[in-house]
Amino acid sequence: MSSAASWGVDQCSMLKIYCALICSKLNYGSMVYGSARSSALKVLDPIHHQGLRLCTGAFCTSPVQSLYMESHEPTLHLCRLQLSLLYFSKLHSLPKHPTWGCVFLPWWAILFHNRRSAIAPFGLHIQAQLDELGLSLDNIAESTGQPIPPWFITVPKCDLSLSHLRKTYSQLEEPSFIY
């Protein structure tokens, strides 16, 4: 799909389609792969830039920063950081989650603090990002509510006795009111 000034889909629609189809795939699982080396993550950036160029109708030689300004889209790094911080904060509120201990109480953390060449796991990576941003998770309350399992939800009772009648039968040409 492409567009130009005089034909095709408008820029806003192209960006929505791009975000729904391509960005969702680029960001899927970013909590898992987001702590990889930046050289490995930069492989995805040209895909994002090309998509933004197609959506905005920019030239191939357009600077990347102008693409971000024109499209009002964040960089992939910022998208990954945002999604990771949201997941980290949600996980913080769920201490009974199976991965909570691995993320917040990593017994192997000393290994990554002693070996700077090793890639830190998700919990240590995001904690370092929180420290760098000056954010704290102290105000996040523990989630106490359990969602209702689907098998306990009662099915609402609906009266469908009029559904077999035709629509023309139910419409009156002129309303008749009794006073």
Side-chain angles (χ1 to χ4, degrees), residues 13 18 34 42 46 56 72 82 85 92 94 120 124 126 134 137 150 157 160 176:
S13 299
Y18 170 71
K42 289 198 180 285
T56 58
H72 304 288
Q82 179 185 15
L85 289 171
H92 188 271
L94 302 168
L124 296 176
I126 294 301
L137 297 179
K157 295 180 180 172
L160 302 174
S176 58

Side-chain angles (χ1 to χ4, degrees), residues 51-130:
L52 293 178
R53 278 190 181 94
L54 289 172
C55 292
T56 58
F59 294 114
C60 297
T61 57
S62 298
V64 173
Q65 293 303 323
S66 66
L67 291 174
Y68 290 129
M69 294 300 293
E70 182 71 25
S71 64
H72 304 288
E73 286 293 315
T75 64
L76 284 181
H77 171 72
L78 290 176
C79 288
R80 285 190 294 266
L81 181 61
Q82 179 185 15
L83 290 171
S84 295
L85 289 171
L86 287 172
Y87 179 72
F88 191 77
S89 61
K90 180 176 176 121
L91 191 60
H92 188 271
S93 71
L94 302 168
K96 294 181 182 174
H97 194 278
T99 61
W100 193 91
C102 296
V103 172
F104 293 101
L105 303 172
W107 54 270
W108 62 85
I110 193 77
L111 168 72
F112 295 99
H113 288 295
N114 291 336
R115 293 180 53 202
R116 294 291 178 190
S117 62
I119 298 174
F122 174 72
L124 296 176
H125 173 70
I126 294 301
Q127 190 61 51
Q129 293 289 329
L130 284 171

Side-chain angles (χ1 to χ4, degrees), residues 2 6 20 24 28 50 69-70 98 102 129 155 166 170 173:
S2 75
S6 61
S24 61
Y28 180 76
Q50 184 62 32
M69 294 300 293
E70 182 71 25
C102 296
Q129 293 289 329
V155 178
R166 291 181 20 197
S170 64
E173 290 181 14

Side-chain angles (χ1 to χ4, degrees), residues 14-30 33 44-45 47-49 51-52 55 68 71-76 79-80 83:
M14 287 283 286
L15 283 168
K16 286 181 182 179
I17 293 169
Y18 170 71
C19 287
L21 296 177
I22 307 301
C23 286
S24 61
K25 292 186 180 10
L26 292 174
N27 292 330
Y28 180 76
S30 63
Y33 72 82
L44 298 174
D45 287 342
I47 298 168
H48 186 54
H49 300 157
L52 293 178
C55 292
Y68 290 129
S71 64
H72 304 288
E73 286 293 315
T75 64
L76 284 181
C79 288
R80 285 190 294 266
L83 290 171

